[in-house]
Amino acid sequence: MNHSYFLESDMSLMEAPERNLAFDLVRVTEAAALASARWLGRGDKNAGDGAAVDAMRLSFNSLPIAGKVVIGEGEKDEAPMLYNGEIIGMGNGPSLDIAVDPVEGTNLLAYGRPNAIAVVGAAPGGSMYNPGPSFYMQKLVVGQAARDVIDLDAPVHVNLRLIAKALGKDTNDLVVFVLDKPRHQKLIQEIRAVGARIQLHTDGDVAGALMAVDQRSEVDVMMGTGGTPEGVLAACAIKGAGGAMLARLDPQSEAEKAAIQEAGIDLAQILDADTLVQGDDVFFAATGISGGTFLRGVQFSGQGAVTHSMIIRSKTGTMRYIESHHNWNKLMQISSIKYD
C-alpha cells in the first residue's frame, strides 16, 4: 500500500490557516469600550455612545478592508458617523459587510448597569440581511445542544420542555433571558407557568443572544421581541458558536408595519442565522464596557486599563476569550484616540 499517496490526498483536502479578521475587529471593540467606559454612570448616554462611535470609526479606518456598514447607527442624516451605507477601512482588502453597535445598552452605560458591550460583526460583501424599515423582530435563541428542537410557532411551554429535554434538565432548571418590556407581559406569565426561571433585562438583546449560546453562561434560552439590527449582529456570533436563532419581523406600530409591507418584505417569513448572515466566513467581536456576569467591564488604573472580550469565527467555530492589558505610556505615543 502506498501510504504516501493517502497522506498527500488527505493533505490536499486541508486548507492552510487564513487570517482571522476577528483579531482585527477586537481592536475596534476594545477602542470603543475604552473610550465609552469613561462615561460609566454619568447619566449621559449620548456622550458615551459618541465616544464609542468616534473611537470605533478611527480604528476601522486603520484596517486593510473595504467595508460597508449595513447595520449602523442609523441613516446618514441622523448619524454623523458609522451610518448605514458608510464606507470604512483602508479600501485595499476584502469586501465586507459590517454590522456595528458601538454601545449596545447606552442606558446601561449611562446609569452604571451591567452588560453594556461594544459589538462588531463582519461578513463577505452582500451577505448580510438588510432590515430596511424594520426595527423589531421576534427571536428565539438557544445553544448548540438544543438547536434542532425549537419552533418559533410552537407554544412557549412546548419549546421550553423540548429545550430542557435536549439539555438534560428539568424545565424548572432553565434560565430564560427576556427583555423587561410591557410587550412581554404575556410571555413572562407563560414562562413562569412552566416553572422556568427568568432573567429580566432592561436592555441588551445582543448580549442576551450571546448568553444563550455561551456555555459559560447560566442563560439557556432567549425569548421575546427585540431589535432587528441587533438580530443581524447576534446572528454573526450564533453562526460561529453553533447555536440557533429563529426570528420573524414583529413591527410594534402601524407605521412600521406599513413601511415593511411597502418595501415588499414578507412579514410571515421565518428567518434564521443563515438567512440573516449568509455564508460561512463570518467574524464577530465584543468587548465588555460596564461589566456583568457575561463580559467583565473596563478596569482603569492610573497607568492603563484591562479589557475583556470574546471573538468568534464561524468557519472554524472557534470562540476565544481575550483579556487585554493596555499601557497608556506606550499606547498614547501611537494612538490618535485619547483614552487616559
Side-chain angles (χ1 to χ4, degrees):
M1 180 180 292
N2 187 343
H3 293 285
S4 62
Y5 167 79
F6 287 98
L7 179 60
E8 290 171 3
S9 297
D10 291 342
M11 291 296 291
S12 68
L13 298 176
M14 300 174 68
E15 297 182 20
E18 298 174 328
R19 181 176 182 177
N20 186 344
L21 286 172
F23 284 108
D24 292 318
L25 297 183
V26 79
R27 291 168 48 206
V28 176
T29 57
E30 285 176 348
L34 287 167
S36 61
R38 291 293 188 187
W39 295 93
L40 176 70
R42 294 171 63 181
D44 191 341
K45 69 176 186 178
N46 291 329
D49 189 52
V53 169
D54 290 346
M56 191 171 271
R57 188 172 191 269
L58 282 170
S59 297
F60 262 126
N61 286 336
S62 69
L63 299 184
I65 62 170
K68 178 180 179 181
V69 178
V70 175
I71 305 295
E73 290 281 278
E75 299 305 316
K76 182 176 181 179
D77 293 338
E78 301 169 5
M81 294 183 182
L82 294 175
Y83 55 84
N84 298 342
E86 182 174 357
I87 303 302
I88 57 175
M90 298 172 66
N92 59 345
S95 173
L96 298 174
D97 282 354
I98 301 292
V100 302
D101 199 341
V103 179
E104 203 233 354
T106 53
N107 282 322
L108 301 177
L109 173 62
Y111 297 109
R113 295 169 183 156
N115 296 323
I117 57 177
V119 190
V120 170
S127 63
M128 274 189 192
Y129 180 84
N130 190 331
S134 172
F135 299 112
Y136 292 95
M137 61 165 41
Q138 178 189 2
K139 304 171 191 175
L140 176 57
V141 182
V142 294
Q144 187 167 13
R147 60 171 294 136
D148 296 323
V149 304
I150 57 174
D151 181 348
L152 196 63
D153 290 323
V156 169
H157 69 90
V158 172
N159 271 314
L160 291 180
R161 284 171 181 153
L162 289 173
I163 292 167
K165 183 178 180 181
L167 297 178
K169 296 183 176 184
D170 295 327
T171 51
N172 59 7
D173 294 330
L174 294 179
V175 175
V176 185
F177 180 106
V178 180
L179 289 176
D180 190 6
K181 306 292 183 183
R183 62 179 176 266
H184 290 149
Q185 288 182 1
K186 183 174 183 290
L187 172 62
I188 292 168
Q189 291 172 358
E190 292 175 331
I191 295 170
R192 287 173 175 164
V194 182
R197 299 173 295 156
I198 301 174
Q199 278 193 14
L200 288 174
H201 294 255
T202 58
D203 300 277
D205 62 320
V206 173
L210 293 175
M211 292 178 199
V213 300
D214 188 344
Q215 294 182 355
R216 307 177 310 162
S217 168
E218 67 271 26
V219 171
D220 298 298
V221 53
M222 186 188 85
M223 288 181 157
T225 293
T228 305
E230 288 82 356
V232 179
L233 255 170
C236 294
I238 291 166
K239 285 175 70 75
M245 168 194 279
L246 296 179
R248 181 165 44 213
L249 302 187
D250 187 15
Q252 297 298 295
S253 69
E254 288 301 318
E256 182 184 357
K257 181 177 180 180
I260 293 170
Q261 291 174 328
E262 186 176 344
I265 300 172
D266 183 4
L267 281 166
Q269 182 185 7
I270 294 180
L271 308 165
D272 60 17
D274 291 326
T275 310
L276 295 171
V277 186
Q278 299 175 20
D280 196 37
D281 203 12
V282 183
F283 304 90
F284 177 86
T287 300
I289 302 173
S290 64
T293 56
F294 171 55
L295 282 174
R296 296 177 66 185
V298 177
Q299 300 166 278
F300 289 108
S301 67
Q303 292 74 42
V306 180
T307 56
H308 299 85
S309 307
M310 68 183 303
I311 63 173
I312 305 174
R313 185 185 186 190
S314 67
K315 193 170 186 178
T316 60
T318 304
M319 300 175 65
R320 290 181 170 92
Y321 302 94
I322 299 174
E323 178 178 294
S324 300
H325 293 250
H326 308 271
N327 183 310
W328 292 158
N329 290 334
K330 292 190 174 183
L331 185 59
M332 291 302 100
Q333 293 178 20
I334 60 173
S335 175
S336 58
I337 306 168
K338 301 303 179 185
Y339 299 116
D340 57 355

